[in-house]
Amino acid sequence: MGLPGHVRHAVGAAWQHRAVDVAAARALAEEHLAEALPRRWQHSQAVAATAADYAARLGLDPDVVVVAAWLHDVGYAPPLADTGFHPLDGAALLARSGWPDEVVNLVAHHSCADVEAERRGLGDVMRRYPDMPGAERDVLWASDATTGPDGQRLSVAERVLEVVQRYEPADLVSECMVHIAPQLAMAMQRTSQRIAGGPVSPAVSYDEWANVQLLPHILPVLEAWNPEGIAEYAEDEYEPEAQAFSSLLRVGYTIDVSMVVAVWEHWFGPQSCLTREHDLRKLEKLAEALQGPVRVAGAAQPM
């Protein structure tokens, strides 16, 4: 027996509305990105496709998460630049244009954008948009964190490395990417857990999750090596470097010579004692020593 006519009409209208919303989001992203920033457009298309797949498998409303996926990078469009930080510039456009608050907030906070906003002095602007932890946010973060600049699928660890290499290690974007990598990996893990129907790991902060297991093992390695040969150093002298290595290890990246050099030059510059010596064997041994704590903490498998 079929549905009554008025029910069929209501259901059809709802699906038409949903299709229009997603289509409108795609059209807006295409308008701002396709010609001006074709690589960003390729990336956005792939992120939206991944988000749509996850949303369908999880029964999430595409009017929220898929729309946000299409629009997450629209703030890169040059005419929209206001703060110069694309999550906020994109969210501002969407808020002015009357898009739903859920979409606006997801775009503003996508991929742990609040961390970079604080470092850019835009924390107060970011706080105008409430964060929305949950399945939709995880899907958006996971989709973005596993999609390369040309739309290729990557692991979270590969994506972190790609960003660091593309922006250079000393760039603010690279620095923030290293710090938020554990949060992105956790978003991917929680999405996978929800799809599998099992228990879902709680959302925790960067400090609670990324460093609590590895930092106590990494920091003593750096202090014992004292690569800069500092006669008397503060207790937290090597903590920023230890945090960076902890983040990379936590998302499954294997520490090698190139990453040791990248992290070290970010904090100490190209004339640091460690890298100025060009002692490949020493760098290899330090990389091996930094990788060792993974076997102790058991926390470096990709999500």
Side-chain angles (χ1 to χ4, degrees):
M1 183 176 177
L3 293 171
H6 72 284
V7 176
R8 288 200 306 272
H9 176 76
V11 171
W15 278 102
Q16 280 186 342
H17 171 69
R18 177 171 291 137
V20 167
D21 282 347
V22 173
R26 184 190 191 284
L28 184 61
E30 184 174 15
E31 174 189 347
H32 286 287
L33 300 177
E35 291 189 13
L37 300 167
R39 291 188 78 196
R40 193 64 59 183
W41 172 234
Q42 290 292 327
H43 168 80
S44 296
Q45 291 179 83
V47 171
T50 301
D53 175 54
Y54 288 151
R57 293 161 74 179
L58 291 170
L60 302 178
D61 186 353
D63 279 357
V64 176
V65 67
V66 181
V67 165
W70 275 112
L71 297 172
H72 77 287
D73 274 354
V74 73
Y76 274 114
L80 303 181
D82 180 21
T83 66
F85 187 40
H86 77 276
L88 292 177
D89 291 340
L93 167 72
L94 300 178
R96 291 194 305 269
S97 304
W99 289 82
D101 290 345
E102 296 90 340
V103 172
V104 174
N105 296 335
L106 282 171
V107 168
H109 286 273
H110 79 266
S111 299
C112 215
D114 56 315
V115 171
E116 189 171 338
E118 288 290 345
R119 298 192 182 201
R120 289 176 177 268
L122 296 169
D124 288 342
V125 181
M126 179 63 78
R127 282 184 281 276
R128 298 174 190 170
Y129 304 99
D131 195 7
M132 296 175 52
E136 289 82 2
R137 190 186 77 169
D138 284 344
V139 163
L140 180 58
W141 289 21
S143 301
D144 191 23
T146 56
T147 303
D150 297 305
Q152 68 272 42
R153 290 300 301 271
L154 302 172
S155 68
V156 175
E158 289 169 336
R159 177 72 160 139
V160 171
L161 181 59
E162 180 274 318
V163 169
V164 171
Q165 291 175 333
R166 178 156 48 96
Y167 282 91
E168 300 297 330
D171 191 275
L172 176 62
V173 174
S174 296
E175 179 184 340
C176 290
M177 189 63 166
V178 169
H179 279 278
I180 68 173
Q183 293 282 27
L184 302 180
M186 278 294 282
M188 183 70 255
Q189 183 186 57
R190 288 192 296 268
T191 298
S192 299
Q193 289 170 338
R194 289 187 180 101
I195 291 172
V200 178
S201 301
V204 294
S205 72
Y206 170 82
D207 288 334
E208 290 173 324
W209 184 75
N211 288 330
V212 72
Q213 295 187 57
L214 283 171
L215 189 60
H217 300 285
I218 292 290
L219 188 55
V221 171
L222 293 178
E223 290 175 341
W225 273 70
N226 188 14
E228 290 303 295
I230 302 172
E232 295 184 14
Y233 55 82
E235 185 176 343
D236 60 351
E237 177 66 41
Y238 291 116
E239 188 166 326
E241 298 78 23
Q243 288 178 339
F245 288 125
S246 297
S247 294
L248 292 163
L249 287 166
R250 189 62 184 85
V251 297
Y253 187 77
T254 300
I255 302 299
D256 58 14
V257 169
S258 65
M259 187 50 67
V260 170
V261 171
V263 170
W264 218 255
E265 289 191 348
H266 171 70
W267 291 103
F268 289 99
Q271 295 303 310
S272 73
C273 292
L274 178 64
T275 57
R276 190 176 63 237
E277 295 173 356
H278 300 292
D279 187 337
L280 181 60
R281 181 57 184 154
K282 181 177 181 179
L283 290 168
E284 288 175 341
K285 291 179 71 174
L286 178 55
E288 182 180 351
L290 290 169
Q291 188 70 27
V294 176
R295 293 186 287 273
V296 176
Q301 294 305 310
M303 300 301 175

